[in-house]
Amino acid sequence: MNEQAAPGRVGDVRRRNLSLVLDSIARNADAKPSRAQVAAGTGLTKAAVSSLVADLVESGLVSEVGLYRDGERGRPGQGLELSSRRGVVGMEINVDYLAVGLVDLGGNLRFSSTVESRNRGLKPGAVMEQLAELAGQAKAAAASAGITILGGGLAVPGLVDEQRNIVLSAPNLHWEHEQLNPQALLEGAPLGVRLSNEANSAALGELWYGDGPADFLYVSGEVGVGGGVIISSELYTGPGGSAGELGHIVVHPEGPSCSCGGAGCLETFAGQEAVFEAARIPEGSLGGRTELLLAALAADEPHAKRAVRDAGRYLGIALASSARLMDIEAVVLGGHFAVLADWLKPSVLSSLERYAPGLLEPESLTVSRLEHSGTLLGAAGQVIRAVIESPFEFLLGKPA
Amino acid sequence: MNEQAAPGRVGDVRRRNLSLVLDSIARNADAKPSRAQVAAGTGLTKAAVSSLVADLVESGLVSEVGLYRDGERGRPGQGLELSSRRGVVGMEINVDYLAVGLVDLGGNLRFSSTVESRNRGLKPGAVMEQLAELAGQAKAAAASAGITILGGGLAVPGLVDEQRNIVLSAPNLHWEHEQLNPQALLEGAPLGVRLSNEANSAALGELWYGDGPADFLYVSGEVGVGGGVIISSELYTGPGGSAGELGHIVVHPEGPSCSCGGAGCLETFAGQEAVFEAARIPEGSLGGRTELLLAALAADEPHAKRAVRDAGRYLGIALASSARLMDIEAVVLGGHFAVLADWLKPSVLSSLERYAPGLLEPESLTVSRLEHSGTLLGAAGQVIRAVIESPFEFLLGKPA
DNA sequence: CCAATTAGTTTTCAATCTGAACTATATGGG
DNA sequence: CCCATATAGTTCAGATTGAAAACTAATTGG
């Protein structure tokens, strides 16, 4: 007998409805809905909602926030919200910085801190030590605000094995199959620390806390070119968990060889390194290469303009192919591409028009406004979503 | 309040378990499992399974097939199977033929019939009239075998709006936004007729009734180049339902313009028309263009060999990009590509090795063995799966 | 101050699973 | 031939849980 699905038990109904109620409170966080409003929104009866909310309040996931008098008549309701006294720590390792943020269950960034750090080539251990210091700051901030930390999310710019806490490959850090121990960053957090990919986390951040629609492709132009695919408000990771590698789509069969071993990849045309080089902005320039590039663009410097135009053209090709294959209807530009958006967008759009006319509307190509915090929010958000999706685990084993 | 998920009711548990039991019987069709075996396989108790099976038998979806004595001692079980007296009609409209098949719930092709028909440029009405004749044959076959027809699936080589029975675009038939009335093909079938895309149906046929693994990309080289993406044993259709359009991935930025309005699409290098032309096999050749091409390849004719090699090279590029973007781990070649596989595979593999080394193992590039019946089985299978996934609907309103 | 209105709780009921006890039907050794 | 053993399948009590309806609580406005 080959089976997979678990049998439905009577108690599953309650698990599902606990999640449904919690999700409803999360979605309507602005309204601080009452039990009656949650009942109307979910389709459950008031009686059922009362019972479910009682469990959620007892577990500490939901708080009552005083009376709520909005209507004209009748008894006022008790406003409900995800507890602001439970939080998750978002963390990010990137090529030239480290960052942490403390996010409460409601998705508010209550504390954050970033330090520059040239991590390329450093051993994971050394980087994790530095990150632990930052995590300590977040823990201190949580303690002084009376927030219990439930868990954490750690985003890295590479492919990860989430189950086993391994960074399979992060070429821009020069990491290859590195075992990490992210749990050590937050000793004692009941949900532990979840490892994730940077572009994927940024995409989720955009979905939950930015302007992302239910279906879009997030394009992250950090040192590498990464992507995150959101379908029906869920991250699409593919069977092996490494979907969204937009940077290694082949955009020219005679293109230069790529660090991935292939050739003609988008990253060889639109990666930061390729753009800086084509724009003739040497490595180690004083004042920062990005700033110099922006200055050159503002000054109409021809190499810079051409470099960005070409990057946009090939990005357009990759987006056209992606849209055909995955039926993508919207694109959000992040990272480096968000910074360059004013110069990049026109050539991306004209390239899309040439290679896939009518497929993507110009309005559906948007630019992220979350900047770096998007990745932190997304990394933490994955743990928050895990709580919202199965709050049952919290009902008995309540954290202090 | 913005909500989507439906609340869990107590009765949902039974709906889910009915499906679970039916699915277990379907998966283990070879074993004709007993109630006790289903209980062991699903994790439900014998008591629950007995009650669920009673409902399924009463509805006519499941039959008992005599005693089952396999063990050494003890009371023998009643073997269970999906009823062979309930069936679904699979139908296909393609550019140069029409086909129907009668498939019972167990997935056995009980009757099939194909006729050649040059449908390109014909009005949908004329084609549907011809198809109705074939459907009549299937109905007659069902009647004489005592099979009740529950519904049907109709596959067409183009993009469809499944909800509204519209063929949005089938360029190779010269159809554009055509309203069909597939229900008329099977008057009175309780589940109606479901419209679907040919490549997607073929992919599902491969998954359910062929050798397809749980995750793969099916590539259909009919007149156009189509694709179907299977992820975790489910068809990935994308937010708008048009995912898998492999034929219009851009494989060369300076490539020729394409019927889709774009340029450099895979179809302009690897579509049937492009291959025949490059191989210098003129339209309307006596003996069939495919047969002539195979003969030319067998005779080492240089234009033919080059045409197929180039098609393979560009197909390899498209597969490399697809694998990066969607994390695809296996590919099944179907249609024209299956016929040409012996000559095509080497160049596809060397192209993959050049553009995405190590990404796809050579063994994971396989060739479909279902041929045309794959599409019929897939089209019908979608209705069969719908029954397996929600058998509850059948419990009260039982078809005769 | 009371009618109207809305929030939330209590009570009764039905659905449905689990678990244990029970019945049904086979095999095989004495 | 018969009974211990084993396996299949059924019956029934018990627990969980949401629906529906009746009820209590709290507020506004005339």
Side-chain angles (χ1 to χ4, degrees):
Chain A
M1 303 290 278
N2 47 359
E3 298 293 334
Q4 68 255 10
R9 304 246 159 68
V10 177
D12 294 348
V13 178
R14 193 164 184 88
R15 285 173 202 238
R16 177 166 167 200
N17 285 337
L18 280 165
S19 171
L20 190 69
V21 166
L22 199 53
D23 187 50
S24 177
I25 295 170
R27 273 174 206 284
N28 301 288
D30 298 337
K32 312 262 183 238
S34 64
R35 288 166 176 77
Q37 286 172 315
V38 171
T42 56
L44 292 161
T45 59
K46 287 189 293 170
V49 171
S50 275
S51 156
L52 292 160
V53 166
D55 281 2
L56 292 171
V57 169
E58 197 202 359
S59 74
L61 295 178
V62 167
S63 344
E64 295 190 322
V65 286
L67 291 185
Y68 169 101
R69 75 187 59 75
D70 200 45
E72 311 80 53
R73 270 143 93 132
R75 172 176 167 179
Q78 288 277 359
L80 299 172
E81 68 171 12
L82 295 197
S83 172
S84 56
R85 300 173 62 82
R86 294 286 184 282
V88 172
V89 179
M91 295 171 277
E92 179 182 4
I93 294 173
N94 218 315
V95 177
D96 37 28
Y97 64 91
L98 298 173
V100 302
L102 175 66
V103 185
D104 67 22
L105 287 188
N108 307 297
L109 188 60
R110 304 279 289 270
F111 165 83
S112 78
S113 176
T114 304
V115 295
E116 285 198 18
S117 167
R118 315 235 134 250
N119 298 318
R120 172 172 283 171
L122 256 57
K123 293 267 173 218
V127 176
M128 291 294 278
E129 234 170 84
Q130 275 201 69
L131 187 61
E133 260 188 58
L134 280 183
Q137 293 179 23
K139 281 192 268 191
S144 73
I147 295 173
T148 303
I149 292 175
L150 299 181
L154 170 58
V156 298
L159 291 182
V160 302
D161 180 330
E162 207 178 288
Q163 305 306 314
R164 296 185 295 171
N165 291 320
I166 294 170
V167 176
L168 298 170
S169 159
N172 294 316
L173 287 172
H174 302 167
W175 288 4
E176 200 73 29
H177 208 88
E178 306 284 356
Q179 174 77 55
L180 299 189
N181 179 17
Q183 312 311 327
L185 296 167
L186 293 177
E187 264 337 324
L191 294 180
V193 177
R194 173 190 294 236
L195 194 60
S196 64
N197 167 270
E198 173 262 328
N200 285 347
S201 288
L204 289 169
E206 201 61 42
L207 170 71
W208 291 320
Y209 308 113
D211 305 321
D215 300 280
F216 66 96
L217 172 63
Y218 177 88
V219 185
S220 143
E222 298 288 336
V223 172
V225 175
V229 184
I230 304 289
I231 303 292
S232 301
S233 300
E234 304 222 351
L235 180 67
Y236 171 84
T237 57
S242 69
E245 279 289 320
L246 200 74
H248 300 283
I249 282 189
V250 180
V251 293
H252 200 307
E254 276 90 40
S257 57
C258 176
S259 67
C260 74
C265 299
L266 173 62
E267 199 163 301
T268 67
F269 296 100
Q272 269 185 34
E273 211 59 48
V275 173
F276 285 141
E277 208 166 291
R280 312 223 169 148
I281 295 173
E283 205 172 337
S285 303
L286 286 176
R289 290 173 100 182
T290 301
E291 288 68 26
L292 287 174
L293 176 57
L294 287 171
L297 287 167
D300 264 350
E301 202 281 314
H303 290 113
K305 296 201 68 170
R306 188 195 178 101
V308 174
R309 200 171 58 231
D310 281 351
R313 177 172 172 233
Y314 285 108
L315 179 54
I317 291 177
L319 293 179
S321 292
S322 304
R324 292 288 192 193
L325 185 64
M326 299 200 66
D327 188 28
I328 282 162
E329 295 173 339
V331 174
V332 177
L333 298 179
H336 207 231
F337 293 145
V339 176
L340 296 175
D342 287 345
W343 289 274
L344 201 63
K345 259 180 92 165
S347 64
V348 172
L349 287 174
S350 77
S351 178
L352 276 170
E353 188 55 28
R354 171 162 172 205
Y355 293 103
L359 193 58
L360 277 172
E361 302 298 317
E363 312 83 69
S364 56
L365 177 66
T366 57
V367 178
S368 169
R369 288 181 305 191
L370 291 176
E371 302 183 17
H372 284 329
S373 71
T375 305
L376 291 179
L377 286 169
Q382 289 170 69
V383 177
I384 297 176
R385 281 308 304 177
V387 172
I388 292 176
E389 269 156 36
S390 57
F392 184 79
E393 327 307 333
F394 277 85
L395 296 193
L396 305 173
K398 292 179 281 283
Chain B
M1 303 289 280
N2 47 359
E3 298 293 335
Q4 69 256 10
R9 305 244 159 68
V10 176
D12 294 347
V13 177
R14 193 162 184 88
R15 284 172 203 241
R16 178 166 166 199
N17 285 337
L18 280 165
S19 171
L20 190 69
V21 166
L22 199 52
D23 187 50
S24 177
I25 295 171
R27 273 175 205 284
N28 301 288
D30 299 336
K32 313 261 182 238
S34 64
R35 287 165 176 77
Q37 286 173 313
V38 171
T42 57
L44 290 162
T45 59
K46 287 189 295 170
V49 170
S50 275
S51 157
L52 292 160
V53 166
D55 281 2
L56 293 171
V57 168
E58 198 203 358
S59 75
L61 296 177
V62 167
S63 344
E64 295 190 322
V65 287
L67 290 186
Y68 169 102
R69 75 188 57 77
D70 199 45
E72 311 79 53
R73 270 144 93 131
R75 171 176 168 181
Q78 290 276 0
L80 299 172
E81 68 170 12
L82 295 196
S83 172
S84 56
R85 299 173 62 82
R86 294 287 184 281
V88 173
V89 179
M91 296 171 276
E92 179 181 4
I93 294 173
N94 218 315
V95 176
D96 37 28
Y97 63 91
L98 299 174
V100 303
L102 175 66
V103 186
D104 67 22
L105 288 188
N108 308 296
L109 188 60
R110 304 280 289 270
F111 165 83
S112 78
S113 177
T114 304
V115 295
E116 285 199 18
S117 168
R118 316 235 132 252
N119 298 318
R120 172 172 283 172
L122 255 58
K123 292 268 171 217
V127 176
M128 290 295 277
E129 234 169 86
Q130 276 200 68
L131 187 60
E133 260 186 58
L134 280 183
Q137 293 179 23
K139 281 192 268 191
S144 73
I147 296 174
T148 303
I149 292 175
L150 299 180
L154 171 58
V156 298
L159 291 181
V160 301
D161 179 331
E162 206 178 287
Q163 303 307 314
R164 295 184 297 172
N165 291 319
I166 294 170
V167 177
L168 298 170
S169 158
N172 294 316
L173 289 171
H174 301 167
W175 288 5
E176 200 73 28
H177 209 88
E178 305 284 355
Q179 174 77 54
L180 299 188
N181 180 17
Q183 311 310 327
L185 296 168
L186 294 177
E187 268 329 330
L191 293 180
V193 177
R194 174 191 293 236
L195 194 61
S196 64
N197 168 270
E198 172 262 328
N200 285 347
S201 288
L204 289 168
E206 201 61 43
L207 170 71
W208 291 320
Y209 308 113
D211 305 322
D215 300 281
F216 66 96
L217 171 63
Y218 177 88
V219 185
S220 142
E222 298 287 336
V223 173
V225 175
V229 185
I230 304 289
I231 302 292
S232 300
S233 300
E234 304 221 353
L235 180 68
Y236 171 84
T237 57
S242 69
E245 280 287 321
L246 200 74
H248 301 283
I249 282 190
V250 180
V251 292
H252 200 308
E254 277 89 41
S257 58
C258 176
S259 67
C260 74
C265 299
L266 173 62
E267 199 163 302
T268 67
F269 296 100
Q272 269 185 34
E273 210 59 48
V275 173
F276 285 141
E277 209 167 292
R280 310 223 170 149
I281 295 173
E283 205 172 336
S285 304
L286 286 176
R289 290 174 99 181
T290 301
E291 289 67 27
L292 288 174
L293 176 57
L294 287 171
L297 287 167
D300 263 352
E301 202 282 314
H303 289 113
K305 295 201 68 170
R306 189 196 177 101
V308 173
R309 200 172 58 233
D310 280 352
R313 178 173 172 231
Y314 286 108
L315 180 54
I317 291 178
L319 293 178
S321 292
S322 305
R324 293 288 192 193
L325 186 64
M326 298 199 67
D327 188 28
I328 282 162
E329 294 173 340
V331 173
V332 177
L333 298 180
H336 208 233
F337 292 146
V339 176
L340 296 175
D342 288 346
W343 290 274
L344 201 63
K345 259 180 92 164
S347 64
V348 172
L349 288 174
S350 77
S351 178
L352 276 170
E353 187 55 28
R354 171 163 173 205
Y355 292 104
L359 193 58
L360 277 171
E361 302 299 317
E363 312 84 68
S364 55
L365 177 66
T366 57
V367 178
S368 169
R369 288 183 304 192
L370 291 176
E371 302 184 15
H372 283 331
S373 71
T375 305
L376 291 180
L377 286 169
Q382 289 171 68
V383 177
I384 295 175
R385 280 309 304 177
V387 172
I388 292 176
E389 270 157 34
S390 58
F392 184 79
E393 327 308 333
F394 277 86
L395 297 193
L396 304 173
K398 292 179 279 286

